[in-house]
Amino acid sequence: EIPSFSWDARVNLSTNKNEVTDLGDVLPFGTQTFGMVKEGYPAYGWFTNKIVSFDVPNNRAIVTDSVKFVGNPNPGFEGNASSTFTLFRNLRVYGQLDWMADYYIYNNTDQFRERQMGTGERWVLRNDVLTDEERLARFGPFVNASGAAVLASSVNGAYFQKADFLRFRELSVSYTLPQNVAGMFRASSATVTFSGRNLALWTDYLGPDPEVL
C-alpha cells in the first residue's frame, strides 16, 4: 500500500460524420484543392483523378477520366486520454494524449515545393530516392485510358495524405509548497509547476504537422 496516493484517469471519445444528401438544382461545385460538394459524399470532401495503372516502359501514369472520392477532410474519430497521479498530497504528475483519425489532408506545401518550385527533396532526387511508380504518381506525365494528356494539377493523389495521429500533448509535474514556505511570499498557498506540451507526435502524414496547415 502506498500512503497518500491517488489516481484519476479520463478518456473522451467523439465521432463525426456528415453527408450532402440533396443539392436541389445546384450542380456539384468546388475544386480538388479546396474540396468539392457532391451528393452522397461529405461536404467539401477530397476528390481527384485517380491513378489506375503505371506504364513504366512508356514513362506515364494512366488515370481516370473523372474525379473520384479520396476521403474526408474532417476527422471521423477523435479523442484524448489524461491521467493524474497524486503522491503524498503535494506532488501531482499529469499526462495527456490526443488523437484524430479517419481523415485526409491536402499537403499543398509539398505540392508547391515539388511541382511548382522544383526545390522539394523528392523532386530534386526523384531518380535516386523514388521508385518508378512513386515518381510517376507524383510528377507524371499523366494520360487517361484513351491516351489523352491530363494536367498534373488534376492528379493529386500523392498529396492527399492520411492525417491520423497520436500526440503526447502534455506532461506536467506540480508540487504544492508547505504552508509555512508559501507564507514567506505572503500567500496562503503556492504551487510550483514544470510542464511541457506537444512532446511527441506519431503519424504517417508527410507534412511537418497534421494540425498545422
Side-chain angles (χ1 to χ4, degrees), residues 33-55:
T33 54
F34 289 99
M36 302 182 72
V37 179
K38 300 180 69 174
E39 290 182 6
Y41 297 96
Y44 294 97
W46 299 125
F47 290 80
T48 191
N49 293 68
K50 283 192 171 181
I51 295 174
V52 176
S53 61
F54 297 100
D55 183 1

Side-chain angles (χ1 to χ4, degrees), residues 10-178:
R10 296 183 180 184
V11 176
N12 298 302
L13 301 171
S14 64
T15 182
N16 173 44
K17 181 179 181 180
N18 78 88
E19 180 181 328
V20 179
T21 58
D22 190 353
L23 284 174
D25 296 329
V26 178
L27 295 174
F29 61 90
T31 66
Q32 289 192 32
T33 54
F34 289 99
M36 302 182 72
V37 179
K38 300 180 69 174
E39 290 182 6
Y41 297 96
Y44 294 97
W46 299 125
F47 290 80
T48 191
N49 293 68
K50 283 192 171 181
I51 295 174
V52 176
S53 61
F54 297 100
D55 183 1
V56 175
N58 292 306
N59 191 45
R60 61 184 186 174
I62 317 304
V63 304
T64 56
D65 291 324
S66 58
V67 296
K68 304 296 181 182
F69 180 63
V70 174
N72 196 336
N74 303 303
F77 302 96
E78 59 183 297
N80 62 72
S82 61
S83 184
T84 304
F85 296 93
T86 303
L87 298 169
F88 309 111
R89 298 187 179 90
N90 290 336
L91 180 65
R92 290 180 301 279
V93 180
Y94 170 82
Q96 179 176 321
L97 297 172
D98 290 351
W99 62 84
M100 292 184 180
D102 190 30
Y103 74 116
Y104 286 76
I105 288 178
Y106 177 56
N107 190 342
N108 194 37
T109 299
D110 277 0
Q111 186 278 144
F112 182 79
R113 289 174 175 171
E114 294 173 8
R115 287 181 171 179
Q116 299 186 44
M117 298 301 293
T119 58
E121 181 180 5
R122 278 180 286 270
W123 168 259
V124 174
L125 301 177
R126 60 192 179 279
N127 295 319
D128 300 319
V129 301
L130 302 180
T131 65
D132 290 334
E133 288 80 5
E134 289 172 337
R135 174 177 52 78
L136 289 170
R138 276 184 128 71
F139 310 124
F142 305 104
V143 298
N144 59 22
S146 61
V150 177
L151 294 176
S153 58
S154 298
V155 187
N156 291 292
Y159 300 102
F160 287 124
Q161 299 167 1
K162 285 187 70 65
D164 300 19
F165 72 86
L166 172 66
R167 186 186 294 278
F168 190 178
R169 180 69 72 188
E170 183 173 355
L171 176 66
S172 66
V173 179
S174 300
Y175 181 72
T176 300
L177 300 175

